[in-house]
Amino acid sequence: MNGAESLPDGERLSNLFNAIGLWVGLEIVLILLAAWALIQLAQRALPRVAEYLPAPLRLYTLNAVPLLRLFLIIAAVAWIVPLVFDVTLQNFVLIFGTVSVALGFAFKDLASSTLAGVVAIFERPYRAGDWVRIGEHYGEVIHVGMRAVQLQTAADDTVTVPHLRMWTDNVANANNGEGTCMCIAEFHTVPQDDTRPLTDALTAVARTSPYLAWDRPVLVITRNTPYGALIQLKAYPFELRHQFLFTSDLSQRGRMAIEALGLRQVQMPDLDTGAAPVVA
Amino acid sequence: MRHGTYDWPGTVARRTLEMAWRRVRATLTPDDTVVAIAEDDLERMPDPLPHDEDLAALNAHLTGMLDAAYLDWLADDARAVCACALVSQPGAGRLLGDWAVAHGFETLDAAAHIPEGTFDAGPPLVIPHLRGAFVRSPDGLSGIAALTGRIGATRRKVVVGCDSWPWAFLDQAVRLDLAFRHVQTWPAWDGAALAALARGVMRRYRPVATLRQARDGHDVWGADDDNDAPDYFRDLAEASNGEPHIALRLMGDAMRENPEIDGEGEDVDAAPDDLFVEDWEPMEIPGKYRDTGHFALHALLIHGGLSAGALIAAIPAPVPSALVPALHSADLIEEAADGRLSVTLRAYPSVRRALVAAGFPVDTL
């Protein structure tokens, strides 16, 4: 039996806390205010600066926000705890156990999301600036918070997804921290047409796009389907945010290239009349 | 020197920090209200450098380098018959063509129809540039692809000149490099080389004048005349990407006369003939047209020059109707007598930096 266990409960509890006077209280408030101010500054200033940077630097800058926030929170907690508590092993176990049980019961989802948020910072299934698909939502990660991640979709919706989803859902990351991602333009031609000339023609379409990243490969993939040949033109834009414009450019000029070669494209059946698929 | 090994001039640490700070300041204060040093104290040169004789002296030096690189090979029948390429930054202009004419070599316009048998056995052939031989469109590459194939199978010695931007574009589009056994580029001019070039210019222009920094009145050559790379010229080498024609143009644009120096600097004991050079500041693309402007300037560099209509067709729509006038008034582009628009030499370093910062694919040397 050690000394602490022999103390009465009230005295043990009083030993847990340090004497908190006016100045200590003021110091704690100042630490919290400073941490909050620095976090706000990082969350507002860094994304603004990042907007002026090219994609790779922008991603690095944006990714610094959650790391900086976590560091500031840990620093503030590490500073405040010794001011409030008499930090010993026994007290640490007592506080940690109590807080864990309280969080476990009262804020299970919040705690799980927060924990997933910490895991996400290091495992990095998504980072600020990445383009990810979580469930049915695809968009740019604009904010990685402690509880949730915010996506800006192509339809300009802001979708907030709790980190909790990371435990159960697949997260598809289009660029995974890089400055570009693969874009795919798809074309369907009738099965009777020879699609071999299309490889060169569609490669030229991609190679002459103003959005193309020159140092990345261009691929033309053909696959037979019951409806005809599915041709996929795959290439990378030099800027992530051009991905939809790039795909549009490939689709528009690719269609013209197919027509110039005299190939026929498969069209949908007439949904009003139920007529068979039309061959252009 | 071999293409791909270009030694891009660096910059002194002070200059790097100054430029970084200016960028941060410009980023954090988009509505820049910082008042610049009064330029009224300085007067532009009535006859700005470089003069024709300065360019002639520079080109004579570069022509000597071409002689050393190609004449022996072209004259020696025992040496391998193949095609060589010379990749230059914008600025070298018609140097290769003039060199070929001066030596009596046959030249070929890549944009014109090239008759059958052109690449059969015969005397050396020089294609000064590939400008006009392609357009950045699927249909616009067939000609250059065919030309590349014919050059690759040449039975006579061929030297082809190409700017670095079309080279980088064509290299990925039609694998231009496969047609050439040797691809070379000019070596970078560092601070010491530019200082020597500037000494020659000053000797011809104002032999007794001292060249001073406009910001503090200090002699750009420094206290020690043996210092072969003063800070100013190291900065100039960095600003001009080591291209001497661009460096001369930047230096000429920055030269001022009769300044009234005030402020916190030392008192300057300047003579009436002394000249002052201002620090180089990147030119700005008008903010309203920045995104489309980047695409337009990129297209102009790739093609070497385009008519206004061709330029609009070469960049993503929609194109603001005031784009070309805006770029023109910002002195970023100029119009040749035949109506072709191109990036001005003085703006080229700024344009390249802007494109790099915006993530555009850029030239390689």
Side-chain angles (χ1 to χ4, degrees):
Chain A
M1 182 179 289
N2 61 31
E5 287 173 335
S6 64
L7 292 171
D9 286 350
E11 197 170 338
R12 267 201 295 180
L13 195 58
S14 67
N15 285 345
L16 186 60
F17 294 96
N18 291 324
I20 301 177
L22 176 63
W23 290 113
V24 172
L26 194 60
E27 190 176 349
I28 291 171
V29 170
L30 286 175
I31 292 169
L32 290 173
L33 279 176
W36 177 82
L38 287 173
I39 288 171
Q40 292 299 315
L41 183 67
Q43 288 182 344
R44 289 167 195 272
L46 289 181
R48 189 173 169 191
V49 171
E51 284 301 312
Y52 294 90
L53 301 174
L57 276 178
R58 186 173 73 232
L59 297 181
Y60 282 124
T61 308
L62 291 172
N63 291 332
V65 174
L67 276 173
L68 194 59
R69 187 179 54 225
L70 182 65
F71 171 77
L72 288 170
I73 289 172
I74 290 173
V77 170
W79 200 342
I80 290 173
V81 164
L83 297 176
V84 177
F85 299 104
D86 178 21
V87 181
T88 64
L89 179 61
Q90 290 90 341
N91 288 348
F92 175 77
V93 171
L94 180 63
I95 295 166
F96 188 76
T98 306
V99 171
S100 299
V101 170
L103 285 177
F105 279 104
F107 305 105
K108 183 167 71 69
D109 287 347
L110 180 64
S112 183
S113 276
T114 305
L115 184 60
V118 174
V119 171
I121 288 174
F122 294 101
E123 194 176 281
R124 303 204 287 184
Y126 38 70
R127 286 151 284 195
D130 281 358
W131 282 78
V132 299
R133 182 180 300 284
I134 305 175
E136 70 274 26
H137 301 295
Y138 178 70
E140 182 182 5
V141 177
I142 56 171
H143 179 66
V144 182
M146 288 305 293
R147 187 194 71 81
V149 57
Q150 285 187 326
L151 306 182
Q152 186 92 42
T153 69
D156 205 24
D157 293 331
T158 301
V159 180
T160 303
V161 183
H163 293 304
L164 189 60
R165 294 275 296 271
M166 197 177 74
W167 300 135
T168 54
D169 287 7
N170 293 335
V171 178
N173 193 321
N175 62 303
N176 199 26
E178 294 193 36
T180 186
C181 65
M182 179 183 277
C183 293
I184 304 175
E186 295 188 337
F187 311 93
H188 294 82
T189 59
V190 299
Q192 292 82 6
D193 286 355
D194 181 4
T195 57
R196 283 175 295 181
L198 261 183
T199 301
D200 282 346
L202 290 180
T203 300
V205 165
R207 287 288 178 201
T208 54
S209 172
Y211 299 105
L212 181 76
W214 290 352
D215 58 346
R216 297 285 181 146
V218 173
L219 290 172
V220 177
I221 307 293
T222 304
R223 189 157 56 89
N224 292 326
T225 72
Y227 313 103
L230 167 64
I231 295 124
Q232 293 182 313
L233 174 56
K234 302 182 176 186
Y236 295 81
F238 67 80
E239 164 63 60
L240 271 172
R241 290 178 177 174
H242 292 157
Q243 59 182 288
F244 301 108
L245 295 171
F246 184 46
T247 305
S248 299
D249 182 54
L250 296 181
S251 300
Q252 290 167 357
R253 295 190 304 119
R255 204 170 58 232
M256 291 168 62
I258 290 173
E259 288 169 6
L261 286 171
L263 302 184
R264 296 165 296 171
Q265 298 183 66
V266 174
Q267 296 180 353
M268 285 287 289
D270 188 328
L271 296 179
D272 293 329
T273 64
V278 179
V279 173
Chain B
M1 64 182 292
R2 191 162 55 84
H3 181 254
T5 61
Y6 193 73
D7 184 17
W8 292 88
T11 182
V12 291
R14 172 191 52 75
R15 176 72 173 169
T16 306
L17 289 172
E18 280 180 4
M19 293 187 72
W21 167 241
R22 273 201 291 273
R23 287 195 196 106
V24 169
R25 192 180 60 189
T27 301
L28 295 178
T29 55
D31 300 320
D32 197 356
T33 54
V34 177
V35 178
I37 297 172
E39 292 185 0
D40 294 346
D41 293 346
L42 305 169
E43 294 175 7
R44 288 186 175 274
M45 307 276 289
D47 50 347
L49 297 173
H51 295 160
D52 288 345
E53 57 266 32
D54 302 323
L55 295 175
L58 170 61
N59 288 341
H61 175 78
L62 296 175
T63 300
M65 295 174 73
L66 288 177
D67 288 347
Y70 295 117
L71 279 188
D72 285 349
W73 168 61
L74 291 173
D76 188 353
D77 292 338
R79 307 271 289 271
V81 174
C82 62
C84 292
L86 176 65
V87 180
S88 312
Q89 293 190 67
R94 299 168 43 179
L95 196 62
L96 185 63
D98 291 345
W99 172 81
V101 170
H103 286 284
F105 295 128
E106 182 185 348
T107 59
L108 183 70
D109 180 1
H113 171 70
I114 299 173
E116 287 297 322
T118 300
F119 294 96
D120 291 347
L125 175 69
V126 175
I127 303 177
H129 56 74
L130 297 178
R131 197 178 310 127
F134 68 95
V135 177
R136 189 178 61 181
S137 73
D139 298 334
L141 293 179
S142 54
I144 190 72
L147 177 61
T148 302
R150 294 171 72 182
I151 290 174
T154 183
R155 295 173 61 196
R156 64 195 292 195
K157 293 174 180 173
V158 180
V159 180
V160 176
C162 188
D163 274 3
S164 52
W165 288 83
W167 181 272
F169 167 70
L170 293 171
D171 194 23
Q172 61 87 27
V174 295
R175 292 308 311 270
L176 191 64
D177 60 321
L178 296 180
F180 298 94
R181 183 172 296 185
H182 300 290
V183 183
Q184 293 182 294
T185 188
W186 301 95
W189 286 54
D190 60 10
L194 289 180
L197 180 65
R199 280 185 197 280
V201 171
M202 290 298 289
R203 266 198 300 271
R204 280 188 292 274
Y205 185 58
R206 287 194 189 177
V208 297
T210 302
L211 191 60
R212 298 178 182 277
Q213 298 268 12
R215 72 175 120 87
D216 54 17
H218 290 163
D219 188 341
V220 299
W221 309 104
D224 182 3
D225 282 344
D226 293 333
N227 180 2
D228 59 357
D231 280 357
Y232 172 76
F233 292 104
R234 293 170 68 178
D235 291 347
L236 186 62
E238 191 266 344
S240 63
N241 304 325
E243 209 291 325
H245 296 90
I246 297 173
L248 279 184
R249 177 58 61 89
L250 295 183
M251 192 175 88
D253 285 348
M255 276 194 177
R256 301 289 185 271
E257 289 181 314
N258 300 324
E260 298 172 12
I261 296 175
D262 52 14
E264 299 174 4
E266 299 175 13
D267 291 334
V268 176
D269 185 20
D273 276 348
D274 285 355
L275 296 174
F276 293 78
V277 282
E278 294 186 329
D279 289 333
W280 178 72
E281 291 280 352
M283 297 166 70
E284 294 285 333
I285 298 173
K288 201 170 167 185
Y289 303 104
R290 187 163 292 147
D291 291 341
T292 316
H294 284 150
F295 281 104
L297 294 165
H298 196 237
L300 288 177
L301 287 173
I302 288 172
H303 291 92
L306 288 170
S307 66
L311 173 62
I312 289 169
I315 60 178
V319 180
S321 57
L323 174 68
V324 171
L327 296 178
H328 214 295
S329 62
D331 206 16
L332 295 168
I333 62 174
E334 60 190 352
E335 186 172 351
D338 62 359
R340 290 167 70 88
L341 302 168
S342 60
V343 176
T344 61
L345 208 53
R346 67 167 59 88
Y348 172 67
S350 308
V351 169
R352 190 180 191 282
R353 278 163 178 75
L355 294 177
V356 169
F360 276 73
V362 295
D363 62 337
T364 53
L365 288 170

